[in-house]
């Protein structure tokens, strides 16, 4: 089992920045990919960005150039730096990690006001 604890969400004005963190514990040897997904009210959960253990990334077009994903393998923590936030970025952001089996965090709310 892997436990994921997210932090860093909150309320910010459009154009502002937030940094999300997600720390993994438990069977962390099983983790290759870590990443972030988000779900806005009435919408399906969507990929934001993922990063593999070796550092390769996959970033959604909607956030490319504004969001940066990084990870600290020693701390088994993944970060999402979100800049130039827009109201449409408002969602619950979920951390995801695993390899053959994936685990989810509890989610953290990000609200961007116009």
């Amino acid at each position: 089992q892997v436990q994921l604890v997210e932090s860093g969400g909150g309320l910010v004005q459009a154009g502002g920045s937030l940094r999300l963190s997600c720390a993994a514990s438990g069977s962390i040897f099983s983790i290759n990919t870590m990443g972030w997904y988000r779900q806005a009210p009435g919408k399906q959960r969507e990929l934001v960005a993922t990063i593999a253990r070796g550092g390769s990334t996959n970033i959604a077009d909607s956030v490319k150039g504004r969001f940066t994903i990084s990870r600290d393998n020693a701390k088994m923590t993944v970060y999402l730096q979100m800049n130039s936030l827009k109201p449409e970025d408002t969602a619950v952001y979920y951390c995801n990690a695993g390899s053959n089996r994936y685990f989810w965090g509890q989610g953290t709310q990000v609200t961007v006001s116009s």
Side-chain angles (χ1 to χ4, degrees), residues 51-68:
I51 183 167
R53 182 182 289 271
S56 60
T57 61
N58 180 27
I59 301 175
D61 288 342
S62 60
V63 304
K64 202 168 289 184
R66 300 187 297 121
F67 292 10
T68 302

Side-chain angles (χ1 to χ4, degrees), residues 6-14 16-21 36-41 48 66-67 80-94 107-113:
E6 301 126 332
S7 61
L11 173 65
V12 65
Q13 288 188 334
S17 298
L18 283 174
R19 189 192 194 208
L20 305 183
S21 299
W36 295 92
Y37 289 71
R38 67 186 182 186
Q39 187 166 18
V48 177
R66 300 187 297 121
F67 292 10
L80 185 69
Q81 179 65 44
M82 304 185 293
N83 298 329
S84 301
L85 282 160
K86 304 175 181 181
E88 51 263 43
D89 294 318
T90 295
V92 178
Y93 283 70
Y94 295 92
T108 184
Q109 177 70 47
V110 172
T111 303
V112 184
S113 63

Side-chain angles (χ1 to χ4, degrees), residues 20-37:
L20 305 183
S21 299
C22 172
S25 61
S27 302
I28 58 175
F29 60 87
S30 65
I31 295 174
N32 178 20
T33 303
M34 302 183 77
W36 295 92
Y37 289 71

